[in-house]
Amino acid sequence: MTETKGTVTAVNGNMVGVRVSGAVSMNEVAYILVDGKRLKSEVIRIRGETAQVQVFEITKGIKVGDGVEFTGDLLSVELGPGLLGQIYDGLQNPLPEVAAKTGNFLEAGVYLEPLSRERLWAFEPKHKVGDNVERGDCIGVVPEGVFEHRIMLPFGLAGSWTIKSIKGKGSYTIDEVVAVLTDARGAEVPLTMCFKWPVKRAVECYAERLRPSQPMVTKIRLIDTFFPVAKGGTYCIPGPFGAGKTVLQQVTSRHAEVDIVVIAACGERAGEVVETLKEFPLLSDPRTGRSLMERTIIICNTSSMPVAAREASVYTAVTMAEYYRQMGLNVLLLADSTSRWAQAMREMSGRLEEIPGEEAFPAYLESVIASFYERAGIVRLRDGGTGSVTIGGTVSPAGGNFEEPVTQATLKVVGAFHGLSRERSDARKYPAIHPLDSWSKYPGIMDSRAVDYGRSFLARSAEVASMMKVVGEEGTSLDDYLVYQKGEFLDAVYLQQDSFDKVDCSVSPERQKRSYRLVLEVLATEIDAKDKEDARSWFYGLRQKFLDLNGAEWMSHRHAALESEIESLLVGRSKGRDKQAERLIKVLE
Amino acid sequence: MKKVYSRIESITGNVIAVKASDVKYGELAEVSTRFGLSLAEVIRLEDDLVSLQVFAGGRGISTGDEVRFLGNPMRVSFSDDLLGRIFDGAGEPRDKGPALKENLITIGGPSVNPAKRIIPREMIRTGIPMIDLFNTLVKSQKLPIFSVSGEPYNQLLARIAMQAQVDIIILGGMGLKYDDYLFFKEALEEGGAIQKTIMFVHTAADPVVECLMVPDISLAVAERFALKGKNVLVLLTDMTNFADSLKEIAITQEQVPSNRGYPGDLYSQLASRYEKAVDFSDAGSITILAVTTMPGDDVTHPVPDNTGYITEGQFYLRGGRIEPFGSLSRLKQQVNGKTRADHRAIMDGMIKLYSSYKDSLEKKSMGFQMSAWDKKLLKYGSRFEAEMMDLSVNISLEAALDKGWEILAECFDPEETGLRSELIEKYWPVKTAG
Ligand SMILES: Nc1ncnc2c1ncn2[C@@H]1O[C@H](COP(=O)(O)OP(=O)(O)OP(=O)(O)O)[C@@H](O)[C@H]1O
Ligand SMILES: [Mg+2]
């Protein structure tokens, strides 16, 4: 707490005006004292003696004249071992602990410790007395699940320091001093295993940022093969309601090949988070054999929770992601939905009576979105290792129309665009990522020429399909019709993927390559068909086999049997093969 | 006893302002006007100026009218005495029964801690194949019916309410036509459900501010019953009227509109109501079935659009049928894996084929030749519409699944359906001779 005191002068929704005596800082945390409760808030504008604060709680019950305390601290999160597996609200309040204390409902003004003060961590020092260290450096480690959690010098601790004392191997709580540092002038700083960091500031304690070039495997064919995401990259999933944004993120959060997943459920349905938090502890991570929850942090500020905390929640999430990146880990942040975050800004901006931009969003919308995604990145740490934060955000455009401010601002900054289409989701073609409109600037898991070959069929097939709408099937040549069928085939057996099937839900890059090769063989083969009817029914038969193949356990007997059945179906109808494709198929082998 | 203020500084639309001290944000006041007493809620505080939204509206209020602050937010009486009763948007009796003043509970309370929720797991059977089979309704779901005005949405609502096995039904009517109000009353009486029903009805003739109270009152009462272990079904009709009331009030307060005049917080406003749907881990549940009429049959209109982003799916009612496209129950996968092994496959497969049927229909309407495949699809489509989509069909889920296989087998060869071979082996009806 600082000396500064204030009194409430105005209340309008979750915006409260405060007359202040003394110094206040922008984005400082203040508490409004109401009926024995302390309501957390953040200073978002200062004019003369009046500060406007946004309150992270329901403001009902506040009176003019109520007291306000100022903390001097910016809105921060606590970083330290024990974050993994937690379920926090947007301000890092641990929700299960809150439930234990207040029951079914989220009472205002209840703020609990984000990390356990009692839990002991087995500390192992990595430096000795006399060593020189600086911010972000690792002085020791504790095991957290399968990870070696680095105990680091607080990111805000400027200057160079010498270790004056350091604890030996042993078990300590996060509040115990494990080392003492001194600087050249003799100042001393005691270090515990946790520290705070202001959420709206990017963590930049690394040697350099690298270009994202390694694929972040999602095990979703359409993404990994056609619209890949890179470790340290950014991508967005815009789509109308019900098109499958959340399901896509849920599937990704389970199967993505990363070390840690931070899920920011931002202004969406509580029920969706519940699914994750009830199921993850029961699911095991195939990479480690441990529960998925041990690699997950959930930040949950759902739509009926206070709007101001929703705005903060994405920053809380990205700060934790950056923290684990400093340990040389690959972190994936999934934010659902960034539009709700943008709307929270819009509500605030409206109450501040700022001049509105398009659709009443604030004029600074673009720059705020850009700087959020900028916090992603793959970095080389000072110890030579690398770590990454990949950010994937869903966008919920009004009316499903991508020509709106949030989608447009996002598209300007991300590296991949997975646009969901209403037509595809209506036709239950999941994941409903539009195969022609979407794009990615990142390299994928396969040779790009092979991918382009498949893509060309999708484009030509779509052309034939739209032509057929005009001239009818009878006005279409058999050759064109075969191209159309090939495109549809690729769509049905490769682009579409059954997220609820225990085999098909997650496809390894190895399996993707193998099955894509088989698809290429089909695309490259000149099919011998009597007429369109014959072609259609042959392709349907083939599709059936391939769907069965997709559901077959990798490398099982059934898998092998189906593969050879498909091969022989193909041989039976082959009039020859495209030479160009032959080479591409070789490459995949 | 609170002080009485007798000088109103300004009156704009439904909002009045008085100079007063020691007033809480969200507190209620009584305004005595020439038409009698009206409640008003504090919606803004600025130094000593208090703005209040008057439930009965600003019309006829005089600057000399008295304002008396009550020291509490909006509340409603809660007890079993509510059952079978009918109230207005301010919680006053609309039937001839006594006003209830005991055990007052605050409306618009805090949201449920997500950590205390459980995964929905129980199907609500309606006997409507388009719901049970294709878009299963689940206990604790929040789901609107999207429809243009003129469609029988209130009839559908009443039918589901009657068929669903719930302990308590709460009807929240907003801008309800008097005839519709009477329809519900009669339908529930006839169905013998009136004794487990509570109605909070704002009719088109009532003041607009009261319309805003209806969802909160209905849901606050529902929540209490749910906490007592009851399974409650809340029917809200029509949420578009609720949103329009929000819009009207925002505009009179000169808020910057975001989209077609609606306030920027429309999403949050709707969400805070719909998110009251819940299945408590250690108590009962709230299921919300709402009606959202779509102005101009446009789902991109801000009200259905924002609603779709909040609810767990929607039923499109068009031409007296629940449309397979666009209709969606997002919770269906929580339950349809446990019903019957073919449920999911039939659900997806039949819809995919219906979508191909629509394509063939389009080709046909453009005068193109119909291929053998098109002809199969046309046959399929018309049977699907008559035997699955028609709202008069009232059969169990299992009967609907069998019907599905029957239709498929009569229209297609097995491999044309895109269904997995294992299922086909198990369920494909053996063709009887002839
Ligand atoms: N990959 C998939 N496989 C099968 N069904 C899916 C898939 N993706 C989405 N669905 C269906 O669509 C429904 C809606 O998906 P989802 O909740 O992901 O939509 P959304 O785009 O997040 O919508 P909103 O913007 O309203 O949150 C799901 O409940 C499910 O029924
Ligand atoms: Mg979603």
Side-chain angles (χ1 to χ4, degrees):
Chain A
M1 288 308 142
T2 64
E3 295 294 294
T4 307
K5 290 279 176 286
T7 47
V8 171
T9 59
V11 186
N12 176 19
N14 62 350
M15 182 76 59
V16 168
V18 181
R19 190 174 312 106
V20 208
S21 63
V24 236
S25 352
M26 190 64 172
N27 299 109
E28 173 178 351
V29 172
Y31 287 93
I32 301 176
L33 310 174
V34 186
D35 293 338
K37 283 186 197 151
R38 300 165 76 241
L39 305 185
K40 197 169 186 172
S41 64
E42 179 189 14
V43 176
I44 55 170
R45 178 193 273 170
I46 304 164
R47 270 196 190 154
E49 294 210 313
T50 303
Q52 300 281 342
V53 303
Q54 57 168 336
V55 185
F56 298 121
E57 304 283 0
I58 297 173
T59 49
K60 276 190 182 157
I62 299 181
K63 290 198 301 274
V64 168
D66 281 344
V68 181
E69 292 173 357
F70 288 84
T71 62
D73 297 327
L74 304 188
L75 188 67
S76 304
V77 291
E78 184 165 62
L79 300 172
L83 291 171
L84 295 179
Q86 295 269 17
I87 300 139
Y88 292 120
D89 75 359
L91 303 173
Q92 211 191 7
N93 235 336
L95 289 172
E97 281 79 0
V98 171
K101 186 161 176 190
T102 68
N104 282 317
F105 297 95
L106 292 165
E107 305 296 346
V110 177
Y111 309 111
L112 302 181
E113 294 289 352
L115 296 171
S116 162
R117 298 349 265 189
E118 287 90 45
R119 184 162 168 189
L120 292 171
W121 295 92
F123 177 79
E124 184 188 327
K126 289 285 179 188
H127 274 289
K128 52 187 189 317
V129 173
D131 285 355
N132 291 323
V133 286
E134 55 182 295
R135 65 196 187 109
D137 281 354
C138 165
I139 56 159
V141 296
V142 301
E144 180 180 19
V146 296
F147 303 104
E148 195 167 73
H149 186 116
R150 295 185 190 168
I151 304 301
M152 295 175 277
L153 258 66
F155 304 149
L157 196 64
S160 48
W161 301 85
T162 308
I163 297 185
K164 186 178 172 214
S165 69
I166 186 161
K167 285 261 171 74
K169 260 193 180 188
S171 290
Y172 312 101
T173 68
I174 54 169
D175 289 327
E176 281 177 73
V177 174
V178 289
V180 178
L181 310 177
T182 58
D183 68 0
R185 284 170 294 137
E188 281 193 7
V189 178
L191 287 189
T192 63
M193 292 201 272
C194 65
F195 61 91
K196 292 205 161 135
W197 181 257
V199 293
K200 290 183 183 168
R201 277 190 59 191
V203 175
E204 282 167 347
C205 303
Y206 45 75
E208 62 170 333
R209 264 182 81 158
L210 308 170
R211 201 171 56 80
S213 59
Q214 289 301 313
M216 184 213 57
V217 173
T218 61
K219 312 245 181 81
I220 297 166
R221 287 188 291 259
L222 184 46
I223 296 179
D224 295 340
T225 305
F226 286 90
F227 307 108
V229 179
K231 287 193 181 117
T234 53
Y235 69 108
C236 69
I237 310 174
F241 64 77
K245 299 179 291 293
T246 304
V247 171
L248 198 54
Q249 284 207 334
Q250 282 173 340
V251 176
T252 310
S253 67
R254 287 177 187 201
H255 305 298
E257 286 194 353
V258 291
D259 299 309
I260 286 167
V261 179
V262 183
I263 297 172
C266 170
E268 292 285 303
R269 305 169 186 83
E272 294 169 344
V273 189
V274 177
E275 271 176 49
T276 306
L277 62 90
K278 301 278 166 172
E279 283 170 8
F280 270 33
L282 309 175
L283 296 171
S284 76
D285 178 0
R287 286 152 47 94
T288 59
R290 304 285 282 260
S291 131
L292 266 186
M293 206 58 209
E294 287 185 26
R295 71 159 199 181
T296 310
I297 305 174
I298 299 174
I299 309 296
C300 158
N301 220 97
T302 55
S303 59
S304 62
M305 289 161 74
V307 171
R310 187 199 299 170
E311 194 256 343
S313 67
V314 297
Y315 295 107
T316 297
V318 75
T319 305
M320 293 182 193
E322 287 172 330
Y323 176 64
Y324 280 97
R325 172 172 70 187
Q326 290 298 123
M327 301 178 200
L329 298 172
N330 294 309
V331 188
L332 171 62
L333 166 61
L334 295 169
D336 186 15
S337 151
T338 61
S339 293
R340 306 301 163 221
W341 163 57
Q343 286 179 344
M345 281 191 267
R346 173 166 76 186
E347 284 184 33
M348 223 57 65
S349 165
R351 298 226 166 82
L352 285 172
E353 295 175 354
E354 293 172 341
I355 296 171
E358 220 183 314
E359 288 185 21
F361 283 107
Y364 44 81
L365 177 75
E366 265 193 29
S367 62
V368 174
I369 289 179
S371 53
F372 170 68
Y373 280 102
E374 261 308 296
R375 292 178 73 168
I378 177 160
V379 301
R380 198 166 54 75
L381 301 168
R382 280 201 296 266
D383 68 1
T386 57
S388 68
V389 170
T390 310
I391 300 183
T394 67
V395 188
S396 316
N401 179 2
F402 294 173
E403 301 299 320
E404 59 88 48
V406 184
T407 315
Q408 289 305 312
T410 308
L411 283 178
K412 276 189 193 165
V413 295
V414 293
F417 160 57
H418 300 161
L420 301 191
S421 109
R422 170 63 78 216
E423 292 82 68
R424 288 184 72 83
S425 69
D426 274 353
R428 306 288 196 269
K429 294 180 177 171
Y430 296 120
I433 298 174
H434 198 288
L436 298 174
D437 296 347
S438 302
W439 48 259
S440 164
K441 297 176 185 164
Y442 302 117
I445 57 166
M446 266 181 236
D447 188 277
S448 67
R449 288 163 304 171
V451 176
D452 288 340
Y453 189 77
R455 215 189 294 267
S456 73
F457 274 89
L458 291 173
R460 281 158 60 204
S461 164
E463 270 167 36
V464 177
S466 61
M467 196 176 69
M468 257 190 320
K469 285 231 169 82
V470 184
V471 299
E473 214 173 280
E474 62 267 38
T476 309
S477 71
L478 183 57
D479 282 350
D480 277 353
Y481 188 76
L482 284 168
V483 168
Y484 164 71
Q485 283 295 350
K486 285 177 178 174
E488 291 286 293
F489 170 76
L490 167 57
D491 185 351
V493 307
Y494 199 84
L495 304 189
Q496 295 172 43
Q497 187 171 345
D498 188 348
S499 316
F500 299 114
D501 181 271
K502 67 183 195 313
V503 175
D504 203 30
C505 65
S506 117
V507 184
S508 68
E510 197 187 1
R511 182 167 183 164
Q512 288 189 38
K513 283 182 200 155
R514 194 177 171 100
S515 94
Y516 192 64
R517 200 205 60 204
L518 198 53
V519 170
L520 279 189
E521 283 185 24
V522 175
L523 299 183
T525 304
E526 275 178 63
I527 306 291
D528 185 14
K530 282 202 300 291
D531 53 24
K532 288 171 207 148
E533 187 54 36
D534 180 39
R536 187 190 60 77
S537 72
W538 184 79
F539 266 104
Y540 278 16
L542 186 73
R543 181 184 71 183
Q544 182 74 49
K545 285 273 173 282
F546 220 106
L547 290 177
D548 289 345
L549 176 71
N550 284 345
E553 213 70 61
W554 174 233
M555 287 298 146
S556 61
H557 269 305
R558 186 165 157 70
H559 186 266
L562 283 162
E563 259 187 0
S564 52
E565 277 182 56
I566 291 168
E567 296 275 6
S568 59
L569 269 179
L570 206 50
V571 171
R573 288 290 185 125
S574 176
K575 290 196 296 184
R577 275 224 275 196
D578 182 353
K579 288 286 164 307
Q580 180 205 351
E582 295 275 12
R583 281 193 303 276
L584 298 175
I585 292 167
K586 282 264 152 51
V587 175
L588 287 181
E589 279 161 3
Chain B
M1 194 60 213
K2 281 256 182 170
K3 224 172 119 188
V4 175
Y5 296 87
S6 55
R7 199 186 135 65
I8 295 176
E9 303 286 327
S10 70
I11 307 170
T12 330
N14 302 317
V15 178
I16 60 169
V18 292
K19 290 208 158 142
S21 59
D22 214 27
V23 174
K24 291 181 191 146
Y25 187 70
E27 175 173 347
L28 279 194
E30 265 174 7
V31 187
S32 34
T33 73
R34 71 182 73 186
F35 304 115
L37 280 184
S38 168
L39 290 176
E41 185 179 24
V42 175
I43 55 163
R44 188 165 186 164
L45 296 172
E46 203 157 5
D47 295 317
D48 59 350
L49 198 65
V50 179
S51 304
L52 301 116
Q53 184 159 279
V54 183
F55 288 13
R59 206 163 294 150
I61 292 188
S62 134
T63 52
D65 284 346
E66 288 187 347
V67 178
R68 193 169 69 88
F69 288 93
L70 303 178
N72 57 261
M74 178 70 185
R75 295 184 298 187
V76 61
S77 163
F78 169 74
S79 72
D80 284 347
D81 294 345
L82 290 170
L83 294 167
R85 298 287 313 272
I86 305 172
F87 305 89
D88 67 9
E92 296 301 324
R94 195 178 261 290
D95 51 15
K96 303 263 155 25
L100 299 177
K101 296 290 170 209
E102 273 84 69
N103 190 27
L104 294 168
I105 58 166
T106 304
I107 69 166
S111 56
V112 172
N113 187 330
K116 289 293 268 186
R117 287 175 180 260
I118 55 175
I119 300 184
R121 59 204 159 164
E122 230 176 280
M123 162 178 185
I124 295 181
R125 286 177 179 258
T126 67
I128 301 170
M130 291 316 288
I131 297 179
D132 293 358
L133 201 171
F134 294 99
N135 284 300
T136 321
L137 184 64
V138 179
K139 200 173 93 184
S140 87
Q141 189 158 18
K142 42 185 178 287
L143 203 102
I145 297 167
F146 283 178
S147 132
V148 286
S149 37
E151 292 283 345
Y153 46 81
N154 284 333
Q155 280 74 2
L156 180 60
L157 219 52
R159 177 171 162 196
I160 297 173
M162 233 84 80
Q163 218 132 338
Q165 312 257 306
V166 293
D167 303 321
I168 288 171
I169 299 168
I170 297 181
L171 175 76
M174 288 150 283
L176 207 60
K177 286 202 278 295
Y178 209 80
D179 292 355
D180 290 333
Y181 158 59
L182 292 177
F183 160 76
F184 273 113
K185 211 172 133 215
E186 281 162 21
L188 290 162
E189 271 165 3
E190 262 168 47
I194 200 83
Q195 280 318 314
K196 61 171 183 180
T197 303
I198 307 163
M199 296 202 222
F200 294 97
V201 175
H202 164 268
T203 69
D206 299 333
V208 57
V209 182
E210 286 186 15
C211 180
L212 290 183
M213 297 296 155
V214 169
D216 283 342
I217 291 195
S218 307
L219 291 162
V221 169
E223 198 163 77
R224 286 304 173 109
F225 277 114
L227 286 171
K228 288 174 76 179
K230 304 280 188 223
N231 290 311
V232 189
L233 175 65
V234 179
L235 308 174
L236 298 174
T237 173
D238 162 358
M239 287 298 277
T240 304
N241 290 332
F242 169 78
D244 285 344
S245 303
L246 280 175
K247 170 164 103 173
E248 189 178 324
I249 284 158
I251 287 175
T252 47
Q253 289 177 259
E254 297 174 5
Q255 284 181 22
V256 184
S258 68
N259 215 329
R260 292 202 231 177
Y262 289 91
D265 65 355
L266 179 62
Y267 173 86
S268 302
Q269 292 284 1
L270 290 170
S272 67
R273 273 80 190 189
Y274 280 115
E275 283 282 313
K276 290 278 176 197
V278 65
D279 199 347
F280 286 111
S281 51
D282 43 13
S285 68
I286 302 176
T287 307
I288 302 179
L289 212 52
V291 167
T292 300
T293 49
M294 298 185 288
D297 199 11
D298 175 12
V299 302
T300 69
H301 180 280
V303 180
D305 187 49
N306 277 288
T307 304
Y309 277 120
I310 293 162
T311 52
E312 288 152 338
Q314 63 280 329
F315 296 148
Y316 271 86
L317 188 63
R318 184 167 294 141
R321 295 194 298 225
I322 297 178
E323 277 287 317
F325 303 122
S327 292
L328 175 71
S329 159
R330 299 177 187 224
L331 299 186
K332 61 181 182 229
Q333 58 260 31
Q334 308 293 359
V335 295
N336 64 14
K338 296 175 284 198
T339 46
R340 219 170 84 171
D342 56 336
H343 187 164
R344 285 184 179 167
I346 284 286
M347 166 185 92
D348 282 332
M350 289 194 88
I351 296 294
K352 276 189 188 163
L353 288 166
Y354 186 72
S355 148
S356 309
Y357 154 73
K358 284 284 188 185
D359 292 342
S360 299
L361 206 60
E362 193 186 327
K363 279 200 266 176
K364 190 175 173 210
S365 71
M366 291 171 75
F368 294 129
Q369 207 177 310
M370 293 285 90
S371 66
W373 175 238
D374 288 321
K375 287 186 191 137
K376 286 185 171 186
L377 286 170
L378 290 178
K379 177 175 169 197
Y380 167 76
S382 57
R383 288 205 57 180
F384 185 81
E385 287 179 351
E387 293 165 55
M388 288 285 183
M389 284 171 64
D390 200 298
L391 274 186
S392 68
V393 179
N394 191 348
I395 50 177
S396 73
L397 166 70
E398 291 72 19
L401 287 168
D402 293 341
K403 174 72 63 194
W405 285 106
E406 182 192 314
I407 297 174
L408 289 173
E410 281 169 25
C411 299
F412 302 109
D413 294 331
E415 70 276 5
E416 288 172 331
T417 59
L419 296 168
R420 286 243 172 100
S421 308
E422 305 100 80
L423 286 175
I424 287 178
E425 271 157 37
K426 181 156 176 213
Y427 290 102
W428 195 260
V430 199
K431 276 218 178 89
T432 45

